[in-house]
Amino acid sequence: MRRMAEPYRIKTVEPLQMTTREERQKAIEEAGYNTFLLPSKVCYIDLLTDSGTSAMSDRQWAHMMIGDEAYAGAKSFDLLQEAVQEHYGFPYVVPTHQGRGAEHLISRILIKPGQHVPGNMYFTTTRLHQEMAGATFHDVIIDEAHDPSAEHPFKGNIDLDKLRALIAEVGAENIAYVNLAVTVNLAGGQPVSMANIEAVRALCDEHAIILWSDATRLAENAYFIQEREEGYADKSCAQIAKEMLSHFDGLTMSGKKDCLVNIGGFLAMRSEDILLKARELVVVFEGMPTYGGLAGRDLEAMAIGLEEALDDNYLAHRIGQVRYLGQQLIDAGVPVVEPIGGHAVFLDARRFLPHLSQDELPAQALAAQLFLESGVRSMERGIVSAGRDEQGNHRYPALELVRLTIPRRVYTDRHMDVVADAVIECFKNRDSITGLKFVYEPSALRFFTSRFEKLA
């Protein structure tokens, strides 16, 4: 099989500067061993997140120059709405400054205090907004998703028996909505099958429950369906994505991922009632319903980006690059979540650092060590990200992971080689990595700003 090159040419470059180990030691200590608190200038290859870190195309930059910056009724909003209607199939759109703005609005609209929201594994900001609105989150993902070594083509699927049991337990009227993410970030970027989406839709219809989607990485999910699900090999990713979304009542979108922009998000829906409520709230928290906290140029770039992200050649390279990194680590015996997902390679910190208990924060320790050794910035997705429960106790997730998140259209495979070498070197010296403890912890979303120090 012939090797694949990037499906683009590089027109503008941003210089990278490698730091010394002494400089990185100073930086990680000053950051309290939290990679979120590192200044980007000391990060040689930055794999902290794929959110807002994409490289935009010449078409996107060109459209930014014609953005309509009118306070109300901007034509740039019309372009975004038309793009969502054409490619996603939803008639109504309300822009927000980013995905968590959309999560905030829909949680306030759909949730009544005391209700329940089942979903296919939690995501940090999504669960927080649901809980702030008075709901209880329930994980109804299939069991395989919690096993990093389980080989399943669609580990993001909802377990229908778990969902049925919850409906029977609390009553359909007490379920605000079902939230189905495509793909599932904290499971390792794992996809959901079309058959599962259809089955969840049928179950929701049976009980008159709203089905919503966290569609942040919907293009990547469409690619996996094309590759793995019978009957879709001859369909384009754009066709699959539109069919996939046809089963949902609405979605929250972080445009900073599969819309290939640096800022922006939106709600899309079919219900005029939800639209009116969203327009009322967006004015309070985000901005006018036609800009939602964004400049007209951002709306323009997002409209073009959501189309470009559905291109088959782009997606083949995008997911191929993630797999290229993941396969090098697998070949070296490094424990990772398998199969490799769509947006990141997830290191299994439990198996990587078996000498550390979960209370010693192995994923956080590994992320800090990787930066110290190489200048590669990654992020923790384990006990720190999971936070605390209502009683103030740590939540102990089954998955204790370090996420190597690949920005879109930013790095070459040569960069992936450097990352692979750095991780493999850490793995060879893993016995020397010590655990961490909290020295500062905020009350919510603690992984962003907590500070740590090494255990003795």
Side-chain angles (χ1 to χ4, degrees), residues 250-264:
L251 60 79
T252 53
M253 186 69 184
S254 172
K256 298 166 70 176
K257 285 85 167 177
D258 269 350
C259 291
L260 303 175
V261 290
N262 305 126
I263 197 68

Side-chain angles (χ1 to χ4, degrees), residues 56 60 63-64 66-84 93-97 259 261 263-266 288-306:
M56 292 202 301
Q60 288 178 292
H63 270 265
M64 289 188 75
I66 57 172
D68 182 357
E69 305 304 342
Y71 187 79
K75 62 183 180 182
S76 297
F77 168 76
D78 296 334
L79 183 69
L80 175 63
Q81 181 167 256
E82 290 164 4
V84 171
V93 182
V94 175
T96 59
H97 78 283
C259 291
V261 290
I263 197 68
F266 55 82
M288 283 291 286
T290 52
Y291 78 87
L294 297 171
R297 56 183 173 268
D298 300 319
L299 300 173
E300 294 269 346
M302 194 154 52
I304 301 302
L306 69 84

Side-chain angles (χ1 to χ4, degrees), residues 24-34 38 371 451-452:
R24 295 193 297 275
Q25 180 74 53
K26 182 172 184 284
I28 197 65
E29 289 177 356
E30 290 178 349
Y33 295 91
N34 186 344
L38 288 167
F371 169 77
R451 301 181 73 85
F452 311 90

Side-chain angles (χ1 to χ4, degrees), residues 183-233:
T183 59
V184 182
N185 187 349
L186 292 182
Q190 301 298 318
V192 182
S193 71
M194 191 75 77
N196 189 250
I197 295 171
E198 292 172 350
V200 174
R201 172 79 266 175
L203 184 57
C204 287
D205 286 344
E206 181 183 338
H207 296 278
I209 297 171
I210 292 171
L211 178 58
W212 210 260
S213 179
D214 175 353
T216 291
R217 297 179 179 87
L218 66 92
E220 294 166 11
N221 201 95
Y223 180 88
F224 286 120
I225 289 175
Q226 182 192 66
E227 179 184 63
R228 299 176 182 176
E229 194 161 0
E230 186 177 355
Y232 290 95

